[in-house]
Amino acid sequence: MAEAAFAVEQTARTEHGRCRPELAVALVSPGSFGTSRADWLATLGDPDLAAWLSEFTPTHLYLGSEFCEHLLLTAPKLKKAIEQAREMDCRVALLTPIASPQVIRNLAKLLPCLPDGSEVIVNDWGVGYFVKQHFAKLGPVGGRLLCRMMKDPRLPAGASTAFSFDPRRSAAMFKRLGMGRMEMDVPIFADEGTFASLPMPTSVHVPFSCVAKGRMCKVGSTGIHGPERFAVGRACKKECLKVSAELQRPAGVGQQTYQLGNTMLSRHSKEMFEIVKAAVAQGFISRIIVPGEAL
């Protein structure tokens, strides 16, 4: 089923015969967004990245969040976003977080809303099994939280060989769950060979990598006093949709680092961006995923 779900991908070819990469725009709160150079600059704040992205037309809308169960869309919002995707001639993918019993119950209501062949971005093995068992007409994708590697920007360059990504460790489980595609962040020590030998079609997130995530929302807890401050399970007011924090250390870090809700993100360096561009040009990366909303 997974192979059939992905068979319609990558039909637009360049003058060199390679597939033109797809562009997925990720939206926590679905709504309108622009794709001109000026729009990407306003959203992502990088002139070079904005110029590059403006050459592509979005092919997919990613909906929700892979980081927090509180950011799963409601069924009415998901249906509205699906209509938006149809109007844009885009396919739909639902981002799913690490599972809890409530997440599974919510997905049981959300997944029937998706058109056949839609992708479900899986970041929990239990969610992958749930999709395979109950929603065979959807295409599960191995999310970036399953494609694990050390991405702490404080690591010295000498640690590069110890923290590269090895997809062989997950390949058997991906196959068992019918995943025909995987997603990954850019390794902090990426080089020309990083994307050259991946085992399946690969989507890569730019310009931010997920360094680490937990269940406690630091930004949402700063205004709370008492035992609920910095505690797991407090009432969520979705503060991450309005506020992010740039993190700094006295010694300095080469990459900009941000706290967004329960997740720490780092921004790619110029060198990492150039490696991604080269891998896309060579056909090693078949889909680029970018946020459609500013941090």
Side-chain angles (χ1 to χ4, degrees):
M1 180 61 222
E3 289 80 359
F6 296 113
V8 297
E9 292 182 346
Q10 305 172 16
T11 56
R13 304 220 170 229
T14 67
E15 64 273 21
H16 303 294
R18 294 192 181 96
C19 296
R20 183 170 179 79
E22 300 168 336
L23 176 64
V25 180
L27 299 169
V28 176
S29 300
S32 60
F33 60 91
T35 59
S36 69
R37 183 171 181 171
D39 293 323
W40 288 124
L41 180 60
T43 301
L44 301 175
D46 184 325
D48 295 333
L49 177 61
W52 185 58
L53 290 176
S54 65
E55 300 174 4
F56 301 96
T57 300
T59 58
H60 291 70
L61 289 188
Y62 277 32
L63 306 171
S65 170
E66 65 260 68
F67 301 129
C68 183
E69 61 191 81
H70 299 296
L71 297 179
L72 272 175
L73 298 183
T74 62
K77 287 186 177 181
L78 177 58
K79 292 176 182 178
K80 184 176 181 180
I82 291 171
E83 288 302 317
Q84 176 189 356
R86 287 196 181 108
E87 293 172 0
M88 298 180 61
D89 196 25
C90 287
R91 300 182 67 192
V92 170
L94 181 66
L95 291 161
T96 64
I98 292 175
S100 67
Q102 187 58 52
V103 166
I104 297 297
R105 286 191 288 268
N106 289 342
L107 289 176
K109 299 176 182 178
L110 290 174
L111 296 180
C113 301
L114 295 173
D116 291 351
S118 297
E119 296 174 344
V120 181
I121 313 303
V122 172
N123 289 285
D124 183 286
W125 297 119
V127 171
Y129 182 77
F130 180 71
V131 174
K132 178 177 174 61
Q133 289 295 104
H134 300 286
F135 297 94
K137 293 184 179 181
L138 300 179
V141 174
R144 59 174 160 176
L145 298 186
L146 293 183
C147 295
R148 293 190 162 193
M149 57 187 141
M150 188 68 74
K151 293 172 285 188
D152 191 328
R154 299 170 297 180
L155 289 169
S160 59
T161 57
F163 297 107
S164 58
F165 174 60
D166 183 359
R168 294 172 297 178
R169 299 173 183 175
S170 303
M173 185 65 79
F174 284 173
K175 182 177 180 181
R176 179 180 176 184
L177 295 177
M179 295 179 181
R181 170 176 289 275
M182 71 178 193
E183 298 187 351
M184 62 183 289
D185 283 316
V186 181
I188 58 175
F189 302 114
D191 58 28
E192 291 80 2
T194 296
F195 302 104
S197 58
L198 297 173
M200 64 180 66
T202 302
S203 308
V204 174
H205 290 261
V206 294
F208 300 103
S209 292
C210 171
V211 177
K213 73 165 294 298
R215 294 191 62 208
M216 184 269 293
C217 178
K218 292 183 179 179
V219 173
S221 293
T222 53
I224 297 176
H225 299 280
E228 284 197 347
R229 193 178 196 195
F230 301 118
V232 173
R234 67 171 187 84
C236 176
K237 298 180 180 178
K238 296 182 172 58
E239 294 91 345
C240 62
L241 300 182
K242 301 177 182 178
V243 179
S244 63
E246 185 171 0
L247 307 179
Q248 295 182 340
R249 301 176 70 241
V253 176
Q255 295 170 236
Q256 292 175 296
T257 309
Y258 302 88
Q259 185 74 37
L260 185 66
N262 62 10
T263 305
M264 185 183 297
L265 304 171
S266 66
R267 190 176 193 116
H268 299 162
S269 65
K270 292 291 185 184
E271 292 77 13
M272 294 165 74
F273 174 51
E274 291 301 323
I275 287 170
V276 169
K277 285 178 62 178
V280 168
Q282 296 174 79
F284 299 143
I285 296 172
S286 58
R287 184 184 302 169
I288 310 152
I289 308 166
V290 295
E293 302 149 322
L295 288 185

